Amino acid sequence: GQQLNQSPQSMFIQEGEDVSMNCTSSSIFNTWLWYKQDPGEGPVLLIALYKAGELTSNGRLTAQFGITRKDSFLNISASIPSDVGIYFCAGQLSGSSNTGKLIFGQGTTLQVKP
Amino acid sequence: KAGVTQTPRYLIKTRGQQVTLSCSPISGHRSVSWYQQTPGQGLQFLFEYFSETQRNKGNFPGRFSGRQFSNSRSEMNVSTLELGDSALYLCASSPWTATTDTQYFGPGTRLTVL
């Protein structure tokens, strides 16, 4: 099935460092969403993007919807220990056959060393 | 506003049994999507309901079914459970419009099949 290629798969960084992760696809998406998931919990929405080129921030997080509509990135500035978790990108393709259906990347596991 | 709630949070069943999971969406949200999350396959779309109608279905066998009630609450059922059905089942609700679909996830139901 359709997949999103998310990278890197994992990151181990020092507290205070900036983090960048991205998702790419061969298909065009009309929505990009970024989620964070803690162990045993559901994904929590961080940022939603709806237009090509859109750049949106949420505190120390910044995400962009790629101009080609085939990619998106998420940056975290000045990381702190509570940023630890798994980050997922998710996108929605256009068309009625994709209604209500998000396609997810494989996730980026972030570990932060105090 | 209360978030998405899912019951039960944990469930242990044996092969061949059936199970019903419940999801209550955020108040005012009429779209409910269901996903299966496993370490090997990641997050996979099961189906989506809007106004009591299934609008979209993922690539899962017919043992997986669902429904939505007039108050937008949704249930999913898995019959004749198999070991491979062990997973975290997530539901997500959305205020869905024709152009945007921002999904908010519940905490999930952890199903273990023995």
Side-chain angles (χ1 to χ4, degrees):
Chain A
Q2 180 69 306
Q3 286 190 328
L4 291 177
N5 299 312
Q6 185 171 351
S7 64
Q9 188 173 355
S10 63
M11 303 180 75
F12 188 84
I13 62 170
Q14 196 79 30
E15 182 178 359
E17 290 183 350
D18 296 343
V19 171
S20 184
M21 59 192 79
N22 71 300
C23 278
T24 61
S25 174
S26 58
S27 299
I28 293 174
F29 285 80
N30 62 13
T31 300
W32 283 97
L33 305 169
W34 284 92
Y35 293 90
K36 177 176 182 272
Q37 186 175 27
D38 292 326
E41 298 296 328
V44 174
L45 181 66
L46 299 174
I47 292 179
L49 303 160
Y50 305 111
K51 296 179 181 179
E54 181 179 357
L55 184 71
T56 298
S57 293
N58 178 9
R60 294 179 294 105
L61 278 60
T62 301
Q64 185 162 30
F65 193 139
I67 291 291
T68 64
R69 295 172 64 191
K70 295 181 179 181
D71 63 335
S72 176
F73 72 75
L74 174 71
N75 288 340
I76 305 173
S77 62
S79 58
I80 58 178
S82 62
D83 291 334
V84 166
I86 304 176
Y87 292 79
F88 289 96
C89 63
Q92 187 182 31
L93 298 164
S94 60
S96 59
S97 63
N98 296 299
T99 300
K101 173 184 178 181
L102 293 179
I103 297 170
F104 282 81
Q106 304 96 319
T108 295
T109 299
L110 178 64
Q111 299 180 63
V112 179
K113 183 177 180 182
Chain B
K1 195 180 264 191
V4 179
T5 58
Q6 291 187 246
T7 56
R9 289 293 310 275
Y10 303 92
L11 209 48
I12 299 175
K13 293 285 187 179
T14 56
R15 280 182 299 173
Q17 288 187 309
Q18 75 165 16
V19 66
T20 299
L21 312 180
S22 180
C23 171
S24 293
I26 293 170
S27 178
H29 288 190
R30 294 165 63 191
S31 170
V32 174
S33 298
W34 287 89
Y35 296 83
Q36 181 195 66
Q37 185 175 28
T38 60
Q41 298 299 315
L43 280 139
Q44 300 287 319
F45 172 77
L46 281 158
F47 28 65
E48 187 257 2
Y49 287 87
F50 183 88
S51 292
E52 303 178 66
T53 299
Q54 185 183 87
R55 296 194 298 184
N56 204 355
K57 189 177 191 308
N59 189 25
F60 279 82
R63 300 185 296 107
F64 291 81
S65 63
R67 60 177 175 169
Q68 187 180 35
F69 302 95
S70 58
N71 62 358
S72 294
R73 189 177 69 86
S74 178
E75 290 182 345
M76 69 163 281
N77 183 277
V78 187
S79 63
T80 319
L81 285 165
E82 300 177 359
L83 295 178
D85 296 333
S86 294
L88 181 67
Y89 289 88
L90 295 159
C91 92
S93 79
S94 168
W96 190 83
T97 69
T99 54
T100 64
D101 183 15
T102 307
Q103 296 188 15
Y104 300 86
F105 284 83
T109 295
R110 171 72 64 183
L111 172 64
T112 302
V113 182
L114 303 176

